[in-house]
Amino acid sequence: MRNYIGMCVLLASVAVSCATVQATEKQRLVLRDNWEMVSSADVGQTGDVISTSAFIPQGWYPVSVPTTVLAALVANGVYPDPFYGDNLKSIPGYREGRWLIMPADSPFRRPWWYRTQFKVPPDYAGRDVHLHLDGINYKANIWLNGHLIAASDSVIGAFRRFEFPASQCLRAGEDNCLAVEIIGPGQGPDVAYRTKQIEATTGWDDHNPYPPDMNMGIWQEVYLTATGPVRMRHPYVQTDLEVPSLDMAHLTVSVVVTNTTQQAVTAQIAGAIENVAFSQDLSLAPGHTELVRFSPEAFPQLNISKPRVWWPNPVGPQELYWLQLEARVGGEVSDVERVRFGIRKATTYINQEGWRAYTVNGRNILIRGG
């Protein structure tokens, strides 16, 4: 079923087409196809067995992720198209009106299993590999090759992005098996709640009928990333645009850098924004994580003259740049990050009528949405 995911209109900085740094994309393996799914009521084994290649699924539904449980069941012909006529009302677990708890007899009250088998490239051997799950609704137990790598007491929250070390469990160049036990929202006591939502989960507008599975499932990508001894995360560009002239922008670039080894490492972090290049060296203790910053004061090339400015639609064009970062160790590329951003300045204030108002690039902007 389509995810009724709340959407926000954001005045966000988003990034750019790169130049001087000649790195490749981050080594990434997306686990999209070759999944199967079944209710825990129909499987008599636990995760340590289900997540092995020796387990033979019987009666499981073929799926691709991301997908909610109900979407996968509709795709497999178990339930009719919920967007046609009154079909939604015929799906077990459906309720009229607004409700926050799954009925006790709902087929979605029980956990559902997602399972896939996949090969890891041989060159993943000796690299630092992480498993990423960018969207799970609502809780999950994560099993990889017979090992529980994360449990539902920590894997909880529809809008959180999770990543777990996977190097010790993966078999490079061989078959691997991942099993995700999804626990949906709405598991609490079925009482009257004086609120529209009791969990920070994917939602729906008040006027739409609720999907019976409450959007339980994997609703964002599942993938592996592999890096060398130094890993980068969360690249970010903070823009300070001079207004009202718009003639100069001052950029601050940051990225979180981790030494994944048990030895001290010296690394070079090199970046490029189109024809603007910058770099710095740093020493990292074993297992140490550090926030690396490139300020416009220390790196004058990050003071951009005559920048292409990002405007909200339809005030002006949405001009974007690419930032590309490389982490190098011993002259070899250890990791790569790319992010798009826009150069703009957004501020907010309370106007004379007591309403919150906004300016973008020095101009008053009426925020509209629908």
Side-chain angles (χ1 to χ4, degrees):
M1 184 173 186
R2 299 172 192 167
N3 289 315
Y4 292 99
I5 305 214
M7 300 182 67
C8 300
V9 178
L10 300 177
L11 291 173
S13 255
V14 262
V16 159
S17 144
C18 78
T20 328
V21 175
Q22 299 297 324
T24 58
E25 293 289 338
K26 177 186 288 292
Q27 194 165 0
R28 173 177 166 132
L29 177 64
V30 179
L31 305 179
R32 180 176 295 113
D33 301 317
N34 196 40
W35 287 81
E36 295 176 289
M37 184 194 78
V38 76
S39 170
S40 61
D42 298 323
V43 60
Q45 297 288 353
T46 53
D48 58 331
V49 175
I50 294 173
S51 62
T52 64
S53 299
F55 177 76
I56 307 299
Q58 296 183 348
W60 291 50
Y61 301 103
V63 301
S64 296
V65 298
T67 182
T68 63
V69 171
L70 182 52
L73 294 175
V74 170
N76 278 276
V78 178
Y79 299 126
D81 182 355
F83 296 100
Y84 183 81
D86 290 337
N87 283 348
L88 179 63
K89 296 182 178 182
S90 70
I91 297 175
Y94 174 79
R95 280 183 173 181
E96 291 283 358
R98 191 175 71 217
W99 50 278
L100 302 173
I101 300 298
M102 287 188 186
D105 60 351
S106 170
F108 309 108
R109 181 87 184 203
R110 297 286 296 270
W112 283 71
W113 284 99
Y114 287 68
R115 180 182 185 273
T116 185
Q117 294 191 85
F118 58 95
K119 280 189 178 295
V120 172
D123 61 359
Y124 271 41
R127 309 203 72 191
D128 183 66
V129 183
H130 277 69
L131 171 67
H132 300 253
L133 297 103
D134 281 355
I136 287 179
N137 190 29
Y138 181 66
K139 301 180 183 179
N141 294 301
I142 315 295
W143 295 83
L144 180 61
N145 291 334
H147 300 278
L148 179 66
I149 63 173
S152 60
D153 58 351
S154 61
V155 185
I156 178 172
F159 301 109
R160 296 176 65 190
R161 294 184 175 185
F162 299 96
E163 64 173 83
F164 309 105
S167 303
Q168 298 302 316
C169 298
L170 283 175
R171 297 186 290 263
E174 301 179 27
D175 288 333
N176 293 266
C177 184
L178 172 66
V180 182
E181 183 185 21
I182 299 290
I183 303 165
Q187 303 292 321
D190 198 357
V191 298
Y193 293 91
R194 296 178 60 83
T195 180
K196 290 186 176 182
Q197 200 167 39
I198 58 175
E199 294 161 318
T201 184
T202 60
W204 37 87
D205 188 89
D206 290 349
H207 306 291
N208 286 337
Y210 289 17
D213 69 340
M214 299 182 77
N215 290 324
M216 73 179 297
I218 299 174
W219 67 273
Q220 291 279 33
E221 282 191 330
V222 179
Y223 56 96
L224 297 168
T225 57
T227 72
V230 170
R231 183 178 76 240
M232 295 186 295
R233 290 291 187 271
H234 314 304
Y236 184 71
V237 181
Q238 178 181 342
T239 65
D240 181 15
L241 178 65
E242 293 185 3
V243 294
S245 69
L246 311 182
D247 288 338
M248 182 71 69
H250 312 285
L251 309 185
T252 300
V253 176
S254 63
V255 65
V256 176
V257 180
T258 299
N259 175 5
T260 68
T261 74
Q262 298 305 308
Q263 295 82 36
V265 169
T266 298
Q268 181 190 62
I269 308 301
I273 300 172
E274 297 189 346
N275 62 347
V276 175
F278 46 93
S279 67
Q280 63 175 290
D281 296 335
L282 73 155
S283 296
L284 294 168
H288 182 65
T289 296
E290 184 171 327
L291 176 66
V292 176
R293 295 179 72 255
F294 298 88
S295 70
E297 293 79 21
F299 298 87
Q301 61 269 47
L302 293 176
N303 297 288
I304 309 298
S305 178
K306 305 290 184 184
R308 304 191 308 273
V309 176
W310 180 95
W311 291 96
N313 183 51
V315 180
Q318 290 73 58
E319 295 284 357
L320 297 173
Y321 293 80
W322 277 106
L323 162 70
Q324 179 150 311
L325 292 168
E326 275 187 6
R328 301 170 182 159
V329 178
E332 298 292 329
V333 175
S334 178
D335 197 9
V336 177
E337 285 284 356
R338 298 182 74 214
V339 66
R340 250 173 25 147
F341 70 93
I343 294 178
R344 58 93 177 98
K345 186 168 189 175
T347 59
T348 179
Y349 64 96
I350 303 299
N351 65 19
Q352 292 181 344
E353 297 176 348
W355 297 99
R356 182 166 297 281
Y358 299 86
T359 66
V360 178
N361 303 334
R363 293 178 54 181
N364 291 331
I365 299 293
L366 174 65
I367 304 298
R368 298 178 293 173

